C-alpha cells in the first residue's frame, strides 16, 4: 500500500483526487493538507465525502509529509509548487504537481505567459510532462517529479498528435476551438461572473486574446512535428459543470481519405486503454466520459475545404486533472496504469 | 466470482447496473439481455460504456440465463417480472427485480394502483422487499426473490421510519413533498414533455392526484407504526438528471426537542454505512450523494407549528435503483453490503 | 409620460425594472441610481441592456431625484428604504419599495425576523402592501408609499387566500413547500455556495429553520381568515435561474369536492388579468410564466388524507418583484394595471 | 392594423411569433393554423400563452387565409412552403417563410443539400432573402415573398460579411464553429437523443460531415466577396434552450490591426439598431441577447497565427427566426423595422 498525501485538498481537483483515491486498491491517503482549513475534518467543508474515513486537514509541513507519505499530489494554485515542491523532493518524496508550474520546459516562456519569473527553473529539466499516451514510457523510470498536464492541453494534444505525426497537415494555423464545463475555473474563483445566475443558460468565449494553455499545447504538439507548430486556441464556457470538448481544425497539405486518417488514429492509440477512437461517422459527447478517465475521439476530412476535423472529449476533472494524475502515479509506482481509475462514464 | 445477468440492460437502471457491477470485486457480468437490441454490442447503443469488456446483448431465454448466471437483475418495465421471474426462479436463479411487480404485498392493492391484475401473486409472500436499512437482516437468509424498492419510497422510507417508530408524530396526514431529477422517468419515455427544451429551466409537479409510489411508501412506514399510516405524496420534476430530495412533514402529537429527535435518528442509523444523519442545523443537497449509494438526512422541529421536518437525499439511479439492487445482491450472497458500491458523491 | 427613477439599478430586480419599463408606453426612465457605480453607463456593467437609450448611473441624491422624477422605485438591500424613503416622500415623490422594509405592519415583528430595529416605523401605517389581486383597490387611492411584496409571499398568498376565505381549511399548520430559481438570491450574494459549480445539477432546501418571508405570508393570509394563521414554510433552491413554484397543503376541516374548491378559486380571480386558475387536473409549470407577470394556479383535494393541495407559479423577478412593482405603479398612477406588462410566458 | 396569420402555430418558431406579435402595435393575429390540432384553442397545447386573446387553431385553407389576413407567416417544416406558398401569393397575400424552402437561389443546390427537388423554383427569383442588415433596402420594395434566413446563417453572416467586404481575409477555408441551444431542433424532433436526460450536462457536435446551412452561409457571404467563398461549418449542441454563439476564424492575407478591423465593423453596422459591435476586448455571451432581436459582435486579430476571430451571438428563436421574421414584416409593410421587437435581453 502506497501512502499518498494531497496538498490543496479542498479545491475541486484536490477533492476529486480524494474521491478517486479512496477506491484505489494500492494507495492509501495518509495526509490532507489545506493551509486555510487545517484542523478540520474535510467533511465539514465537503459533504459529498461523508462516509469516507479520511485524515483531518493539516497545515503544510514538508517534514511531516515526508514522515507520512511516499508520494504527494500538489493541487494548489499556480506558484505554490515551484515554491514548495523542491522541499518535498529533497526529502525523498515523489511529487505529482497538478498546477502549471512545471509544464513548460522554457522558463522564459513561463514568465511570458504567466507573468512571473519561475523560481525553481533548475527542476524543469527533470520534471516529466506526464501525458501518458504521448509521453515515452521510459520517461517515468526514475522520475521523481511529474508535471500533470492542463485540461485543454490534454484534450487538444490527444486530438492532434497523431495528425501531426502523420505529416499531412499544415502545423501553422491550427485552430482549436475548445468548450469546457465551469469546474475548470476551480472553487476559489468567487466573483459575480461565476455565479450560477450569470452562467446558467449562457454560453460564451473567454481568454480569447491570450490563454495560458496555448504554449503548453504547442509544446506538446511540437514533439510530433518537424515544422513549427502554431495554434489559435479559443476556449469557451459551457453551462455545465464537467467536460471538455475540443474541436480541432487543420488545413491539409494534400488530399487524404477520412478512412486513411482514421486508420492512423486507430493504430496510434491501439494499446491505450483510456483512448477510444470512435468509428468513422461517430463523434463523442462529453457526457460519455463524465467521471471517466477516457478520452474519446471522432474525426473526419472536409473535402470541400481540405480540412481535417478532429473532436475529442474528456472529463476535465478526471482525465483533465485528478484521474490523469493517478494514472501518472500508477506509472511512477510501476502499477498497471488503469488501476483504480473508472473506464465507464456516468450517464445519464 | 458470482455470475450475474441483467435483463433490460439498455435502460437507465440497467446501464447503471452495468457501470457499477463492472467495478465489483466479487461479481462478473455474464449476460446482458435486451429484447429489442439482441445481437448488438451494448456500446453501439451506449457509448459511455466504451472501454468495458462486456457480453453482447442477447434475447431473453431462461434456460440460457440459468446456464450463464447465478443471479439475475430484472430492470424491465412493470409487468415483465411478474410474467418472467417465475421461470428464472424455477431454474434455481436468484432474482432481484427493480420494477414494481413484487413490492406491494397485497395483490389487490397492486391491481388498484397499477391498473392490472397481478399474475404471479403466489410469489408475493416469498418476495423480500429489500430496503436494507429497514428490512430485517434475517429476511435475506434463504431469500430467492428480492423486490428492489422504488426511488421515492427509498428516500421517504429512510426519512420517516425513525420518526414513526418513535411514536411522537401523527401517522395520518404525513406530507411528503418530493423532488426528483428527470432520469427517474427512464429512457423509454420518449414524448414531447420529456424533451430537453420542455424541461430545462422548468420546475413542475406531476402525478399530483395519484402516484403509484404512495401505497409502497405507506406499506414501508406501516411496519414502524401501530396506528394506520396515510401519506399525501406529491412528486415534482427538477431540471437536473439525477437526485431525489424528499421533504417530509409530520404533525407532532406532543412537543419534542429537535435534539431528542436528532439523537433518535442518529441511534437508529448508527450501524448503517450508507445513511448519514447530518448534524443539527445542516441539511443535505442532492449533489452530495450524486453517484453515491448514500442517503443523507437532516431534520428539525418547527415549534411554531409543531411539525417535524425531515429532509433526505439520494441518487435515484444508485441508492434509488441500481446501487440498492447491488446492496441487496451483496446481502443475498453473504458479501459485505458495501462491496463495490461508491460512498463518496461526485461533486462538483 | 410619467418620469420614473430606479435606485439600485444594477441588481437583478433593478435591471429587470429597466428592461420592463423601457417598453412601457406611459413611463420614461429619467434616473438610474447606483451608489457604487455612479458615473458609468449602465451597459458597461449589464450588456444585456445594450441598444437601450438610458440615463447614466448617478449617485443617490433626493433633491436631484425630486427634480428628475415623479416616482421612484427602490430596489436596494433591506435597510436602505427605511433610511432613505422618507426623504423622497417628503419631497413629494411617490415611492415603490421592492425591499422588505415596509412590508410587515408590526415593527416588533420586523425587529424579530430581520434582526434590527425599524427606523421609519411612522411610515408603516401609511405604506400600502401592494399585492394587487389581494389588496383592496381603494388602498391605492392617495397612496404615496407602496411596499412591494416578497416573491414567496406573492406565490403563497395567491395560492392560499381563496382557500382561507372559504373557511374550510385549518389555518393552523398550513404547509408551504416552495421552490425557487437562484435569481432570488440577487446579484450581490457572491460566495462559494452560489457558484455555478455548486448549484448546477443540485437541489437543496435552505432557511429551513427560519425564513423571513414566514411572517409576511402569515400577515397576508390573516386578512382572509378569522382564526389565527400559522404556516410552516420551507424554501428550496432549484438549479434554474427564474421561477417559483409553491406547493401548499392545508388540512380540510370538512370534506369538500375538488370541483367546489376549483369553482371558488375561479370566481375569486375572475376579474384578475394576471391570475389564471387552470382547469381541474392541470397543474402549472414555472416555465409557463417565465418572463410573464402572470400567476397560474392548479389545485386538487386529496380525499385519502383530507388535504387541499394548491400549486402556484410565478416568475420571481417579474410577478415576484419588478413586474408586480410596475403593476403597482400602474394602479398608483391610475393607469390600466396591465399596461406595459407581459402576459405570455417565454417558452421554450 | 395589419392582419397576420401564422401557419405552423404550435411549433417553437410559430409560438414565438405569437408571443412577439401579441405585443406588436401595428399587427393583429387573425389566424392560427395547425393541420394536426385544428379546432382547439392554442392554450390547451401551449400554456405559456395563457391570458392572451387568440383565434382558435384552424386548418390550412388558402381562401380562408386570404379573407382573414394581409400577410402570412409560414412556420412549417421544410417542404410545406414550396408546396403551399404559391396558393397564398396568388391570392394576393404577402408571405414570410421561416423554412428553408426559398433561401437558396439555385434549385440544384437545394436538391443537393435537401435531398429533394424544388417544386416552386419559379418563385425563387422573386423571393427576397431577408437578412435586413445585409439585404439591400430596395429589395423589400414591392416584395411579396420573403425567405427568412436560418439561425446559423444569420449569426455567421452578420459575423463575417464586414470582414469579407474588407477583402483582407482568405475567403476559402473560413472556419465557422457554431454552438446552439437545443430549441433550434424544434418541437417535433421527438426521439431519445433529444430527451432532457440525454442532453443535460452534455455537449456535443452534430452534423459534422454535412449541414444544410453550409450553402446558405456561403450564398450570403458570397455577396461580399469577389473570390469564391468556402466555409467549414461545424454546429454543436449546448445544454441550454436558447442562443447561438458563432466563433468564426479567417486567415488574414495581410497583417491588419485589430483596431482597424474593429473600426470597419463599427462603420458597417453604424445605422443598424439590432447589431451591437462590442468594444475591443469585449466579447458577447448568448444570455445578453436572450429574448432580444439583437446580434452582438466581438472580434480580435490573433497576430501569432494571422487569424481574424469574430464572435457573434443571437437568440436563435428571435433574431434567428421569429424576431427577424417580424423585422422583415416591418420592412415589407413600411413600418419602422424595430416596431414591436425587444432590444434588451433577459438576464439573468
Amino acid at each position: 500500500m502506497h501512502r499518498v498525501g494531497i496538498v490543496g485538498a479542498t479545491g475541486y481537483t484536490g477533492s476529486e483526487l480524494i474521491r478517486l483515491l479512496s477506491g484505489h486498491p494500492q494507495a492509501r491517503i495518509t495526509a490532507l493538507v489545506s493551509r486555510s482549513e487545517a484542523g478540520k475534518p474535510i467533511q465539514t467543508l465537503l459533504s459529498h465525502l461523508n462516509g469516507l474515513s479520511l485524515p483531518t486537514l493539516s497545515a503544510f509541513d514538508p517534514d511531516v509529509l515526508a514522515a507520512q507519505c511516499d508520494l504527494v499530489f500538489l493541487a494548489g494554485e499556480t506558484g505554490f509548487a515551484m515554491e514548495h515542491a523542491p522541499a518535498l523532493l529533497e526529502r525523498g518524496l515523489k511529487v505529482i504537481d497538478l498546477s502549471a508550474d512545471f509544464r513548460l520546459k522554457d522558463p522564459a516562456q513561463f514568465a511570458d505567459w504567466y507573468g512571473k519569473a519561475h523560481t525553481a527553473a533548475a527542476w524543469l529539466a527533470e520534471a516529466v510532462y506526464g501525458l501518458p499516451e504521448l509521453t515515452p514510457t521510459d520517461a517515468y523510470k526514475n522520475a521523481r517529479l511529474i508535471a500533470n498536464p492542463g485540461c485543454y492541453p490534454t484534450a487538444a494534444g490527444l486530438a492532434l498528435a497523431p495528425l501531426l505525426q502523420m505529416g499531412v497537415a499544415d502545423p501553422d494555423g491550427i485552430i482549436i476551438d475548445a468548450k469546457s464545463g465551469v469546474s475548470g475555473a476551480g472553487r476559489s474563483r468567487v466573483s459575480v461572473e461565476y455565479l450560477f445566475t450569470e452562467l446558467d443558460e449562457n454560453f460564451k468565449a473567454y481568454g480569447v486574446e491570450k490563454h495560458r494553455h496555448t504554449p503548453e499545447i504547442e509544446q506538446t504538439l511540437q514533439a510530433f512535428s518537424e515544422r513549427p507548430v502554431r495554434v489559435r486556441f479559443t476556449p469557451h464556457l459551457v453551462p455545465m459543470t464537467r467536460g471538455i470538448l475540443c474541436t480541432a481544425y487543420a488545413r491539409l497539405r494534400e488530399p487524404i481519405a477520412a478512412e486513411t486518417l482514421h486508420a492512423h488514429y486507430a493504430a496510434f492509440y491501439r494499446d491505450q486503454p483510456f483512448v477510444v477512437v470512435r468509428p468513422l461517422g461517430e463523434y463523442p459527447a462529453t457526457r460519455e466520459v463524465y467521471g471517466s478517465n477516457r478520452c474519446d475521439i471522432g474525426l473526419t476530412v472536409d473535402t470541400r475545404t481540405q480540412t481535417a476535423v478532429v473532436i475529442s472529449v474528456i472529463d476535465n476533472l478526471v482525465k483533465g486533472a485528478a484521474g490523469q494524475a493517478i494514472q501518472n502515479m500508477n506509472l511512477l509506482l510501476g502499477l498497471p496504469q488503469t488501476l483504480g481509475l473508472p473506464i465507464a462514464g456516468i450517464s445519464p
Side-chain angles (χ1 to χ4, degrees), chain A:
Chain A
M1 213 62 161
H2 301 274
R3 302 169 305 152
V4 304
I6 298 166
V7 178
T10 63
Y12 287 157
T13 50
S15 67
E16 187 70 350
L17 278 167
I18 297 172
R19 182 179 76 83
L20 291 169
L21 286 166
S22 68
H24 194 286
Q26 294 290 332
R28 189 158 45 87
I29 299 172
T30 52
L32 293 178
V33 172
S34 164
R35 292 190 291 175
S36 54
E37 309 283 356
K40 298 183 186 166
I42 192 165
Q43 285 98 343
T44 60
L45 301 163
L46 299 173
S47 303
H48 69 285
L49 301 177
N50 276 344
L52 297 183
S53 176
L54 293 168
T56 298
L57 292 167
S58 59
F60 179 73
D61 183 324
D63 289 324
V64 173
L65 285 172
Q68 294 173 326
C69 309
D70 304 312
L71 180 151
V72 170
F73 293 95
L74 299 181
E77 298 284 311
T78 295
F80 181 88
M82 65 183 182
E83 187 179 347
H84 296 290
L88 301 174
L89 291 160
E90 288 156 7
R91 282 162 179 78
L93 286 161
K94 288 179 187 293
V95 172
I96 297 175
D97 175 33
L98 287 85
S99 84
D101 286 10
F102 295 101
R103 292 179 192 156
L104 297 179
K105 288 296 170 193
D106 178 356
Q109 205 174 37
F110 181 88
D112 187 22
W113 290 81
Y114 286 84
K116 51 186 167 192
H118 202 290
T119 60
W123 285 93
L124 287 175
E126 181 173 341
V128 173
Y129 184 82
L131 210 172
E133 291 80 6
L134 304 182
T135 300
T137 313
D138 283 359
Y140 288 93
K141 220 182 278 176
N142 304 320
R144 295 188 290 169
L145 170 60
I146 304 277
N148 206 59
C151 50
Y152 289 123
T154 296
L158 294 172
L160 287 165
L163 179 66
L164 288 175
Q165 191 203 45
M166 216 178 171
V168 292
D170 188 351
D172 190 356
I174 287 171
I175 303 230
I176 298 172
D177 192 283
K179 300 88 176 172
S180 174
V182 183
S183 60
R187 191 164 172 263
S188 53
R189 207 78 68 87
V190 182
S191 62
V192 170
E193 64 186 311
Y194 287 99
L195 293 180
F196 180 87
T197 38
E198 299 291 319
L199 293 176
D200 178 44
E201 211 61 14
N202 197 0
F203 184 90
K204 63 176 174 184
Y206 71 100
V208 178
E209 281 147 56
K210 193 176 182 182
H211 190 285
R212 294 166 168 189
H213 283 175
T214 305
E216 186 182 339
I217 295 170
E218 290 179 349
Q219 174 181 283
T220 295
L221 296 180
Q222 193 60 66
F224 295 87
S225 170
E226 285 169 19
R227 289 184 303 139
V229 174
R230 272 274 183 277
V231 304
R232 173 0 58 175
F233 169 58
T234 315
H236 301 74
L237 216 46
V238 187
M240 62 185 192
T241 292
R242 286 178 181 232
I244 283 179
L245 184 143
C246 167
T247 314
Y249 304 89
R251 207 170 279 221
L252 293 167
R253 301 166 61 198
E254 50 189 284
I256 178 176
E259 289 73 13
T260 310
L261 188 64
H262 184 265
H264 177 70
Y265 270 73
F268 190 98
Y269 289 122
R270 180 167 298 129
D271 300 326
Q272 297 299 345
F274 289 122
V275 179
V276 174
V277 179
R278 306 285 285 267
L280 264 185
E282 194 178 305
Y283 301 88
T286 61
R287 184 86 215 188
E288 294 160 0
V289 296
Y290 191 101
S292 159
N293 200 52
R294 288 202 333 264
C295 172
D296 278 22
I297 295 173
L299 57 85
T300 193
V301 171
D302 180 359
T303 53
R304 297 175 78 253
T305 58
Q306 280 302 322
T307 307
V309 183
V310 187
I311 295 174
S312 62
V313 297
I314 60 169
D315 181 323
N316 57 302
L317 292 180
V318 185
K319 183 62 178 166
Q324 184 147 271
I326 293 169
Q327 189 181 358
N328 277 321
M329 176 193 82
N330 288 339
L331 290 165
L332 208 53
L333 300 176
L335 303 169
Q337 66 172 323
T338 55
L339 210 63
L341 287 168
I343 296 272
I346 300 177
S347 174

